[in-house]
Amino acid sequence: MEDLIKLLPDNIANQIAAGEVIQRPASVVKELLENAIDAGATKIDVNIKDAGKTLIQIVDNGSGMGAADAKLCFKRHATSKVRSAEDLFSLTTKGFRGEALASVAAIAHVEMKTCLKNEEIGRCVTVEGSEIVHEEEIVCPKGTSFEIKNLFFNVPARRNFLKKDSTEFKHIQDEFERIALAHEELHLTLTHNGNQIYNLAPAVLRKRVVNIIGGNTNDRLVPIDEETDIVSLKGFVLKPEHARKTRGDQFFFVNNRYFRSSYFHHAVNKAFDGLLKDNSHPGYFLYLTVDTTKIDVNVHPTKTEIKFEEEKFIYSILLSSIKQALGKYNIAPTLEFEQESSFNIPHSMRSQPAVEPQIRVDEGYNPFKSTSKPSSGTTGKTKDNFSSAIVNQGFGETKPKPEDWQQFYTIEEKEEQDAEPIIELDDNPSAGSFIVKNNYIISPSKSGLMLINARRSIERIVYDEIFNSFISSPINLQQLLFPLEREVSKNESNLWEENQSILTQLGFAGAIEKGNLKISAVPSVLQEETISSSIDELFSTIAYQEIDKGDVAHALILSIAKSASLKKINLSTNESIQGLVDQLFQCEQHVYSPSNKKIIETISLDEIHLKFR
Ligand code: ADP
Ligand code: MG
């Protein structure tokens, strides 16, 4: 019988391998930057056109390559970095697989110019689809420069899969920033379509971090420093009050290599336990140094997942040293309140032992009344505007009050219990057509019984009401008396500028000065206390999505509606329940919440009969 097995031709094998290593333009940038660093470069310039779809150019002043290497480097498994199997267990270079250039060359048009340090004449090699199509001696600067054009020209599926330019460029910038944070000793520049985004001169680590995060980050960084036999840990965490809603500023490095680890991330989160506001995420820049024989970088083709031999120990070092650093800088008290006076303990109380604050429950809060008067009974008009009752709660209160402390504890309580928290119930719910148990309302319908999820109903009602006024009528602005200042990273400032026109349409007015965004007007539906979290939400929405006005509005309003639905509500009377149900049924879509979760479940009489047979 005929033998069927054949070795794949190189160009096909390379193309398959490329699928793993090169997912998008950013992967090329990462690999080429790593090569330049391995080649000992001290200055690297990255020049991008159209998010890398048209051009990726990386110029370094590293070692350069000789004539033979300049051709060999495009072959698969061609590497100068690993000579024997043992080398794999003590890697000091970023590359070692010898796959990156072969992969890039298989799926793009590549032109490389390279010249060794001690030579006058260099070489230019052009490769297309794994074939060397041109080669000549040239005079060029010492070091190596790569130009990558027509990425994925022969893999249309990949090319079509690429996202819009701003998204792809964001990925490039992420890779660049990871390298920049891992190598503060290098001079690095990043240019996109002729605009210089970064020009980072060699600096101390702290300065590098500040340069990347932008604004007045400096006094927000808490240094971390710990030496043990197994690991040395240095870096910074952001003070808890500067934690963001988005997960942006979270970086782990080991031996100057960026990596991800949900396990270590957990340790950091734990160290911040109780110090963060609702959904915010800690910011951290943490650098581990461990013996190269104690880690395995070879777990993942893009090398972002790393196995640690001593991971349990490192976990506990992370946890304890961050906890200690946060304690040392006395972070906790400034968490909720800016004003010192909030902490002044009256003289008369100073000798008394500290008492744990109690959870305070607003017994009388009725969402169906337009103003919430505590304990004012339940005779409010049930048709009152539900969402404004919720949204306006606490509006205009800027000064912290003692109750805020309690509020703070209430929030914690809420988070812990999550599923069945804060719907207030009378001990004896009034008889009638409604029964409430925890978050659920049971109500008779023509064909049986309806189970209604109260929180999701609120989310739907608030969402619809705000969305309708937002979209149908011209957007009402509220000019802020005092512009709200928010520090923005370089990336966020680009996003703001890029989406300027849509933001204006949505009612946001603001200008960026020296890494600070000064917001002078916001859509009037935003309540003052949620403006800053809404802006966080806004940034995370525009960062990765294909956006249009509807998307941004949806994300913003959804966040308002969600937070409204988490507030304490009182469903202790039939009127209040009736009000909620009526409003829900006025919504066009009342079966699903704006986050696409089911609000109503019906049980038919037949099903009920069956249960009693
Ligand atoms: P790896 O980095 O895993 O060795 P690559 O495919 O990325 O594999 O690179 C292949 C080889 O090409 C490297 O080992 C190195 O010898 C050489 N090389 C690549 N880029 C550069 C550069 N910018 N300067 C000098 N040599 C380089
Ligand atoms: Mg490499």
Side-chain angles (χ1 to χ4, degrees):
M1 202 176 130
E2 201 191 345
D3 288 331
L4 298 176
I5 298 178
K6 293 208 170 59
L7 286 176
L8 285 175
D10 265 5
N11 59 334
I12 300 191
N14 287 341
Q15 209 170 309
I16 295 170
E20 282 200 3
V21 187
I22 310 295
Q23 273 114 29
R24 49 177 15 121
S27 332
V28 178
V29 173
K30 169 183 190 278
E31 293 295 337
L32 296 189
L33 275 171
E34 290 190 350
N35 280 347
I37 294 170
D38 284 345
T42 55
K43 179 160 198 279
I44 311 173
D45 298 303
V46 182
N47 181 18
I48 305 291
K49 287 219 173 82
D50 304 323
K53 294 171 188 168
T54 308
L55 173 74
I56 297 170
Q57 183 189 44
I58 308 233
V59 183
D60 72 53
N61 64 354
S63 63
M65 279 177 265
D69 282 359
K71 290 199 309 199
L72 201 55
C73 67
F74 294 107
K75 289 254 174 256
R76 201 140 63 97
H77 305 144
T79 178
S80 54
K81 300 165 195 174
V82 173
R83 302 261 164 218
S84 69
E86 283 85 71
D87 290 353
L88 271 182
F89 301 106
S90 54
L91 287 164
T92 51
T93 53
K94 300 206 180 274
F96 56 89
R97 291 170 168 253
E99 261 174 354
L101 289 185
S103 299
V104 175
I107 47 156
H109 294 167
V110 180
E111 185 187 274
M112 181 189 76
K113 294 176 184 155
T114 188
C115 182
L116 288 169
K117 283 226 159 111
N118 47 3
E119 294 200 354
E120 296 307 315
I121 303 287
R123 281 274 81 253
C124 176
V125 179
T126 315
V127 190
E128 291 179 4
S130 295
E131 297 285 326
I132 294 186
V133 294
H134 184 75
E135 198 203 337
E136 64 177 327
E137 291 196 332
I138 52 158
V139 175
C140 60
K142 308 212 185 269
T144 306
S145 86
F146 278 94
E147 282 193 5
I148 315 295
K149 293 179 181 159
N150 301 324
L151 187 63
F152 299 128
F153 76 98
N154 50 0
V155 200
R158 269 291 152 135
R159 205 176 163 85
N160 296 337
F161 172 79
L162 292 179
K163 299 273 164 25
K164 66 178 171 143
D165 283 10
S166 59
T167 308
E168 290 301 338
F169 185 71
K170 167 87 173 72
H171 286 287
I172 292 180
Q173 196 172 326
D174 284 349
E175 294 294 354
F176 180 91
E177 289 175 357
R178 289 168 190 167
I179 295 275
L181 286 167
H183 290 278
E184 73 275 14
E185 76 283 2
L186 301 180
H187 187 168
L188 299 167
T189 68
L190 174 64
T191 306
H192 188 210
N193 294 336
N195 301 322
Q196 192 168 71
I197 312 285
Y198 281 119
N199 183 356
L200 302 167
V204 294
L205 183 60
R206 188 177 191 115
K207 176 132 195 275
R208 180 58 58 96
V209 170
V210 171
N211 283 338
I212 299 281
I213 302 307
N216 28 0
T217 331
N218 195 17
D219 43 342
R220 304 185 172 182
L221 297 175
V222 179
I224 308 288
D225 212 334
E226 190 72 57
E227 271 315 315
T228 72
D229 288 346
I230 289 168
V231 59
S232 109
L233 168 66
K234 62 173 179 143
F236 305 94
V237 295
L238 284 176
K239 292 181 183 172
E241 66 266 39
H242 301 298
R244 298 256 172 98
K245 281 274 159 79
T246 53
R247 274 191 170 216
D249 308 327
Q250 302 185 329
F251 298 89
F252 283 120
F253 302 90
V254 59
N255 302 349
N256 296 328
R257 185 195 292 276
Y258 169 83
F259 72 100
R260 296 170 210 275
S261 163
S262 45
Y263 184 60
F264 292 163
H265 176 76
H266 188 265
V268 181
N269 266 335
K270 210 162 169 204
F272 274 84
D273 228 12
L275 296 176
L276 294 175
K277 290 186 233 170
D278 348 7
N279 298 319
S280 53
H281 302 282
Y284 55 84
F285 310 83
L286 295 168
Y287 297 76
L288 309 171
T289 311
V290 299
D291 188 334
T292 49
T293 61
K294 305 258 166 160
I295 52 172
D296 184 0
V297 197
N298 208 1
V299 196
H300 194 257
T302 59
K303 299 166 277 181
T304 47
E305 270 156 49
I306 292 178
K307 246 175 101 77
F308 288 77
E309 217 173 276
E310 322 262 10
E311 65 177 6
K312 288 219 170 84
F313 179 81
I314 298 175
Y315 182 101
S316 56
I317 290 293
L318 278 167
L319 176 59
S320 62
S321 44
I322 296 172
K323 258 198 154 154
Q324 200 185 19
L326 289 174
K328 192 150 105 200
Y329 283 78
N330 204 10
I331 302 308
T334 54
L335 174 61
E336 284 280 289
F337 315 111
E338 304 291 346
Q339 276 159 314
E340 289 277 342
S341 60
S342 302
F343 293 94
N344 286 346
I345 301 167
H347 256 290
S348 58
M349 289 171 70
R350 282 197 183 153
S351 52
Q352 296 171 12
V355 182
E356 209 176 305
Q358 297 300 302
I359 294 161
R360 188 181 66 94
V361 168
D362 183 354
E363 307 265 351
Y365 175 57
N366 178 350
F368 302 101
K369 303 190 75 186
S370 52
T371 52
S372 83
K373 272 188 228 137
S375 308
S376 61
T378 49
T379 49
K381 293 169 282 170
T382 52
K383 298 280 181 208
D384 264 357
N385 183 324
F386 188 80
S387 56
S388 61
I390 292 169
V391 168
N392 286 332
Q393 251 200 98
F395 182 85
E397 298 196 344
T398 47
K399 253 188 147 187
K401 295 188 318 246
E403 296 93 280
D404 292 347
W405 258 122
Q406 281 140 358
Q407 170 72 7
F408 180 31
Y409 280 85
T410 320
I411 290 168
E412 286 210 332
E413 170 95 349
K414 176 185 78 187
E415 276 175 358
E416 269 167 32
Q417 299 179 354
D418 212 24
E420 37 188 271
I422 356 158
I423 292 189
E424 310 281 319
L425 283 180
D426 263 354
D427 286 336
N428 304 307
S430 7
S433 56
F434 296 107
I435 297 168
V436 182
K437 179 75 183 161
N438 293 343
N439 184 28
Y440 301 102
I441 300 169
I442 303 174
S443 166
S445 74
K446 266 190 223 139
S447 56
L449 287 177
M450 282 188 299
L451 294 174
I452 302 172
N453 184 314
R455 290 199 179 284
R456 291 183 189 167
S457 310
I458 295 168
E459 195 182 310
R460 167 54 71 196
I461 295 165
V462 175
Y463 178 90
D464 274 26
E465 185 163 323
I466 301 180
F467 199 85
N468 291 339
S469 67
F470 213 67
I471 294 298
S472 57
S473 43
I475 279 148
N476 289 323
L477 292 186
Q478 50 172 322
Q479 293 290 340
L480 300 177
L481 208 51
F482 302 101
L484 183 101
E485 287 208 27
R486 181 192 190 278
E487 199 183 309
V488 283
S489 67
K490 189 80 191 175
N491 186 38
E492 289 172 334
S493 102
N494 290 341
L495 285 171
W496 186 268
E497 241 117 63
E498 246 168 59
N499 293 291
Q500 193 56 245
S501 69
I502 184 173
L503 289 166
T504 314
Q505 273 183 48
L506 279 170
F508 288 96
I512 291 172
E513 281 166 35
K514 295 192 196 126
N516 262 321
L517 171 61
K518 279 193 187 161
I519 297 163
S520 50
V522 297
S524 52
V525 291
L526 290 190
Q527 47 178 325
E528 202 160 304
E529 59 182 12
T530 63
I531 291 175
S532 97
S533 64
S534 299
I535 303 267
D536 285 344
E537 194 77 27
L538 181 78
F539 276 118
S540 58
T541 312
I542 59 184
Y544 284 104
Q545 289 175 20
E546 306 279 336
I547 57 153
D548 61 25
K549 186 178 166 185
D551 282 342
V552 180
H554 168 74
L556 275 175
I557 297 169
L558 186 58
S559 81
I560 301 171
K562 272 193 180 147
S563 62
S565 77
L566 290 175
K567 286 201 165 151
K568 228 188 273 291
I569 48 172
N570 185 338
L571 293 177
S572 57
T573 65
N574 257 347
E575 284 143 346
S576 55
I577 304 169
Q578 181 72 55
L580 179 67
V581 174
D582 283 353
Q583 288 212 42
L584 175 65
F585 279 90
Q586 278 163 21
C587 297
E588 210 171 310
Q589 170 54 278
H590 49 258
V591 182
Y592 286 94
S593 75
S595 5
N596 267 331
K597 301 230 171 93
K598 208 155 194 195
I599 303 174
I600 300 176
E601 186 67 68
T602 37
I603 310 176
S604 70
L605 275 177
D606 289 347
E607 281 172 83
I608 298 172
H609 287 322
L610 272 179
K611 289 192 191 299
F612 288 96
R613 278 229 286 209

